[in-house]
Amino acid sequence: MAEEQAQTEVKQQEDSEEQVVTPWVAHAGEGQTGIDYEKLIRQFGSQRIDGDMMQRIESVTGQKPHHFLRRGIFFSHRDLAGTLDAYSSNKPFYLYTGRGPSSESMHLGHLIPFMFTKYLQDVFDVPLVVQMTDDEKFLWKDLTVEEAHRLAFENAKDIIACGFDIEKTFIFSDIDYLSTEPSFYKNILRAQKCVTVNQAKGIFGFQDSDCIGKISFPAVQAVPSFSTTFPKIFGESKDVQCLIPCAIDQDPYFRMTRDIAPRLGFHKPAIIHSSFFPALQGPQSKMSASDPTSSIFLTDTMDQIKNKINKYAFSGGRDTKEEHEEFGGNTELDISYQYLTFFLEDDEKLTHIKKEYESGRMLTGELKKELISVLQALVSKHQERRKKVTDDIVKTFMSYRPLTFRAAE
Ligand code: TRP
């Protein structure tokens, strides 16, 4: 298929002048203000979520599409039509997403795929599996196995606080699930046999100096896309389709997965991709948990949120008040405005702010004030919900058990 042939050999150099997006590197091309997502769609060979697809989503779900869709934050897909067809004809499907638990506290950017996954679980009423790749983070980061495993549980609390349905959601640590369910490892073996070292290098940019754990890891992230990886949930059926919401940097894993699926007699998973959540400093980069000034953390206090935005949020406003009033602010560069497109749900209010800011009637300080109040509300609600997530609740979400959902009844 043309799409899989589009697995262009990824150049890995951090200092490349070209735009590079892999699961580990994301930087814009030389002289670009941000990632060129149209170019990524062409490079990766995915489909843009166009007007027709939006209408299809609206008619199938019977409601206005999520604001992440309306605003082009989830902007690309593979085979989404297949998932919508399955849903319309009452065929079962499930959602699969994940998180690499590399740090204690998650930031706003990490929330995006989970907020969207929660919406998908609600509108489609489907089961969800969440992979915590403690194994991956052990291999890639400077962490002990024990620490990575512990972080999987810590991060699970933030994920649960997003509101997932406890009857329909299974969150698993790779380390634990591998020692629990032989079908997981059987599918990993099947996947590993399908991909050569050469192909893995082409897709992921692995080097000869990388440890062998890294080279075999992609199979681990691939197989939760196949329903037989979870026999307690889906039985022996190979027929339950999978939809994966993720940030577009995870696409290489799922291009590989889609490539090998037919050879193993599995459905190709469908994918829906989001753009990156930009760092406070500007759209050139994504938020990074390792740079505390680039991110708003879910553990930040209300004061920290206020100060970080006032101090670091890149402004698209003019240098002086006079100039600003004459020429207006640039909402495309302005991080406070960009963040509002993620978190201010009210379309009318957002349009009004855009008009006011671009006309120069609204100043950067007022724009920041809007954002501060939106984020303080969001983060404090998150913190309240997280506090209610007890160890027992985490244990239930993370215990391997049958889930209840429409098709299973
Ligand atoms: N590799 C991802 C990360 O580092 C975690 C992950 C595992 C994932 N499976 C996934 C992300 C499926 C999205 C979809 O965060």
Side-chain angles (χ1 to χ4, degrees):
M1 286 206 68
E3 133 185 71
E4 274 79 25
Q5 279 156 13
Q7 290 175 0
T8 44
E9 306 241 330
V10 183
K11 286 202 207 77
Q12 276 287 280
Q13 305 98 312
E14 296 254 1
D15 54 357
S16 167
E17 288 174 14
E18 304 269 310
Q19 161 168 300
V20 176
V21 174
T22 74
W24 308 283
V25 186
H27 71 77
E30 192 102 320
Q32 298 297 128
T33 31
I35 302 289
D36 180 343
Y37 290 106
E38 285 303 325
K39 193 169 166 190
L40 261 192
I41 286 181
R42 285 195 306 275
Q43 274 177 350
F44 285 2
S46 64
Q47 255 68 56
R48 137 166 301 287
I49 298 180
D50 57 13
D52 283 352
M53 181 52 84
M54 289 283 265
Q55 264 173 4
R56 183 86 213 283
I57 296 169
E58 179 153 358
S59 79
V60 170
T61 60
Q63 49 178 271
K64 198 159 81 164
H66 192 278
H67 70 277
F68 287 171
L69 287 165
R70 304 201 298 272
R71 297 179 192 163
I73 290 166
F74 275 79
F75 70 103
S76 156
H77 74 97
R78 297 178 189 275
D79 255 1
L80 189 54
T83 307
L84 297 176
D85 287 345
Y87 181 74
S88 309
S89 52
N90 277 322
K91 281 204 212 114
F93 80 93
Y94 69 103
L95 299 165
Y96 159 41
T97 191
R99 149 121 189 114
S102 57
S103 64
E104 195 86 32
S105 65
M106 290 170 53
H107 61 56
L108 283 180
H110 295 138
L111 225 45
I112 308 300
F114 291 105
M115 288 169 74
F116 191 67
T117 303
K118 149 87 177 143
Y119 152 81
L120 293 173
Q121 183 175 59
D122 286 350
V123 291
F124 293 114
D125 186 23
V126 283
L128 160 69
V129 296
V130 182
Q131 178 178 48
M132 306 301 286
T133 53
D134 38 15
D135 50 350
E136 175 193 17
K137 293 300 144 177
F138 165 70
L139 290 167
W140 263 269
K141 305 271 173 177
D142 186 18
L143 287 174
T144 62
V145 172
E146 288 74 20
E147 186 63 358
H149 186 236
R150 187 185 69 79
L151 290 174
F153 281 80
E154 270 316 296
N155 287 185
K157 289 183 193 160
D158 282 303
I159 293 169
I160 293 165
C162 293
F164 294 107
D165 186 333
I166 197 163
E167 306 286 336
K168 299 188 173 73
T169 306
F170 174 44
I171 304 177
F172 62 99
S173 122
D174 280 340
I175 294 172
D176 287 338
Y177 193 52
L178 260 164
S179 52
T180 307
E181 175 51 82
S183 299
F184 186 20
Y185 191 50
K186 285 181 192 166
N187 277 344
I188 290 171
L189 284 171
R190 292 180 178 116
Q192 285 174 342
K193 202 170 182 174
C194 286
V195 185
T196 66
V197 174
N198 248 332
Q199 287 167 330
K201 281 183 174 175
I203 303 169
F204 298 99
F206 293 134
Q207 307 290 317
D208 284 354
S209 57
D210 278 318
C211 71
I212 59 174
K214 286 189 183 179
I215 292 165
S216 56
F217 173 75
V220 179
Q221 183 155 332
V223 304
S225 316
F226 307 142
S227 54
T228 59
T229 295
F230 307 98
K232 247 193 209 177
I233 302 174
F234 303 112
E236 298 306 313
S237 171
K238 283 190 168 187
D239 242 17
V240 192
Q241 298 185 39
C242 175
L243 170 64
I244 308 172
C246 62
I248 190 137
D249 63 340
Q250 298 297 305
D251 189 66
Y253 287 112
F254 303 121
R255 282 201 303 266
M256 185 195 87
T257 309
R258 287 172 57 84
D259 193 29
I260 64 179
R263 279 186 272 162
L264 299 174
F266 296 126
H267 284 287
K268 290 183 179 190
I271 328 281
I272 184 162
H273 300 118
S274 72
S275 57
F276 301 128
F277 189 70
L280 280 167
Q281 283 77 2
Q284 288 87 350
S285 48
K286 59 174 183 173
M287 266 197 174
S288 153
S290 41
D291 176 3
T293 70
S294 77
S295 316
I296 310 266
F297 290 95
L298 299 175
T299 46
D300 280 351
T301 64
M302 299 303 112
D303 271 352
Q304 281 173 316
I305 293 174
K306 186 168 131 209
N307 295 336
K308 279 190 192 175
I309 291 167
N310 281 332
K311 210 161 152 186
Y312 301 116
F314 185 81
S315 167
R318 302 283 171 164
D319 290 345
T320 66
K321 187 163 177 255
E322 290 68 33
E323 265 180 60
H324 189 87
E325 280 167 353
E326 191 175 342
F327 303 109
N330 182 337
T331 48
E332 262 171 45
L333 293 179
D334 196 287
I335 283 296
S336 302
Y337 180 79
Q338 289 301 317
Y339 281 16
L340 284 174
T341 67
F342 281 84
F343 298 116
L344 178 62
E345 280 176 47
D346 186 334
D347 286 338
E348 254 172 59
K349 196 160 179 201
L350 187 71
T351 311
H352 178 72
I353 290 173
K354 182 169 158 64
K355 222 170 77 202
E356 292 298 295
Y357 194 60
E358 288 179 345
S359 73
R361 282 190 295 272
M362 180 183 259
L363 301 176
T364 297
E366 297 168 67
L367 179 63
K368 288 194 169 185
K369 221 169 118 196
E370 284 289 343
L371 177 66
I372 290 165
S373 79
V374 168
L375 291 187
Q376 285 178 335
L378 180 104
V379 173
S380 66
K381 274 188 213 139
H382 181 89
Q383 291 173 352
E384 269 167 44
R385 284 193 306 262
R386 192 186 196 276
K387 244 189 265 161
K388 293 192 191 125
V389 180
T390 60
D391 287 350
D392 274 350
I393 293 177
V394 181
K395 258 189 222 143
T396 306
F397 270 98
M398 297 190 83
S399 67
Y400 181 40
R401 65 206 193 280
L403 300 177
T404 51
F405 53 97
R406 223 178 29 163
E409 279 155 13

